[in-house]
């Protein structure tokens, strides 16, 4: 065994490890991979008003996901579920497909309300015992505004508009009222 034979063996071992790595990567790519996005569909949530929350589940893998279970927890002391469910199940999600799920909540009081991430569990194959888990983004603390703030933001502000129009009218009317046009007879008197 000379140095060339040892180099050949080392190269063969490296090639074997690289082939195994490529095979494992290819096998890993042939699996389902779910991503979940949690978002609030209103700019400003108000206490006592509907607040829609949307969950979007994406299968970015190259095979179907099976026995998909979704769940999210909202504090029953802070929120009431008006419409929709905070959990759901799907038998399969095809590769490249997505699912949208909406829950409508109502906050009891104003202030900062907490929201944790939602959780999705799924399997790579229907008979698979290993359960995969994916978590959504966390919305963090939601600033829920009071009904008084809602009235301020959505009122037509008639008193403010009336004041503005009166001041604008005064600015336009004052110069007009002070302007005295010259009459034809007054020019003759000035010349004499």
């Amino acid at each position: 065994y000379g140095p060339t034979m040892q180099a050949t063996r080392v190269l063969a071992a490296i090639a074997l490890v690289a082939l195994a790595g490529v095979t494992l990567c290819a096998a890993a790519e042939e699996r389902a991979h779910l991503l979940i996005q949690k978002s609030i569909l209103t700019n400003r949530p108000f206490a006592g008003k509907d607040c829609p929350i949307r969950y979007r589940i994406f299968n970015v893998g190259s095979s179907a996901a099976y026995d998909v279970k979704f769940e999210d927890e909202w504090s029953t002391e802070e929120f009431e579920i008006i419409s929709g469910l905070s959990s759901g199940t799907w038998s399969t999600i095809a590769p490249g497909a997505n699912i949208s799920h909406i829950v409508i909540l109502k906050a009891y009081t104003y202030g900062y309300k907490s929201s944790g991430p939602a959780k999705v569990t799924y399997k790579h194959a229907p008979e698979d015992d290993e359960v995969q888990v994916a978590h959504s983004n966390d919305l963090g603390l939601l600033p829920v505004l009071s009904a008084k703030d809602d009235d301020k933001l959505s009122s037509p502000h008639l008193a403010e508009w009336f004041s503005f129009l009166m001041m604008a009218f005064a600015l336009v009317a004052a110069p007009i009222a002070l302007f005295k046009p010259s009459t034809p007879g007054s020019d003759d008197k000035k010349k004499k």
Side-chain angles (χ1 to χ4, degrees):
Y1 299 108
T4 56
M5 187 63 139
Q6 287 178 345
T8 306
R9 284 187 180 186
V10 170
L11 287 175
I14 290 173
L16 185 61
V17 170
L19 181 62
V22 168
T23 304
L24 287 175
C25 288
E29 290 176 6
E30 293 295 323
R31 301 184 127 189
H33 185 75
L34 297 185
L35 300 177
I36 179 168
Q37 176 193 32
K38 180 179 180 179
S39 59
I40 186 167
L41 296 181
T42 183
N43 291 335
R44 294 183 284 242
F46 293 100
K49 300 264 182 163
D50 290 352
C51 178
I53 306 294
R54 179 176 61 189
Y55 304 91
R56 294 172 69 190
I57 303 170
F58 300 92
N59 184 354
V60 296
S62 60
S63 68
Y66 298 94
D67 195 22
V68 180
K69 294 178 182 164
F70 154 78
E71 61 185 41
D72 194 12
E73 293 182 14
W74 292 93
S75 170
T76 56
E77 295 172 2
E78 294 180 338
F79 294 99
E80 173 188 5
I81 296 178
I82 301 299
S83 178
L85 298 171
S86 62
S87 63
T89 59
W90 297 271
S91 60
T92 182
I93 299 177
N98 66 58
I99 293 176
S100 289
H101 182 78
I102 295 180
V103 175
I104 299 176
L105 306 173
K106 185 184 289 187
Y108 291 119
T109 60
Y110 68 93
Y112 287 96
K113 309 295 181 187
S114 62
S115 164
K119 181 172 96 171
V120 171
T121 59
Y122 62 98
K123 295 179 181 178
H124 292 297
E127 66 280 347
D128 197 1
D129 290 335
E130 185 180 350
V131 176
Q132 306 298 316
V133 179
H135 293 279
S136 74
N137 56 312
D138 184 1
L139 294 179
L141 293 176
L142 298 175
V144 177
L145 303 174
S146 69
K148 186 177 169 184
D149 293 331
D150 183 27
D151 292 340
K152 281 184 195 176
L153 293 170
S154 63
S155 73
H157 303 284
L158 294 178
E160 290 88 350
W161 279 109
F162 181 73
S163 298
F164 170 75
L165 290 174
M166 292 305 295
M167 286 186 264
F169 178 73
L171 286 173
V172 171
I176 292 173
L178 294 175
F179 177 71
K180 294 184 182 180
S182 60
T183 58
S186 66
D187 287 342
D188 293 337
K189 292 178 185 175
K190 288 182 182 176
K191 290 180 183 176
K192 292 182 185 179

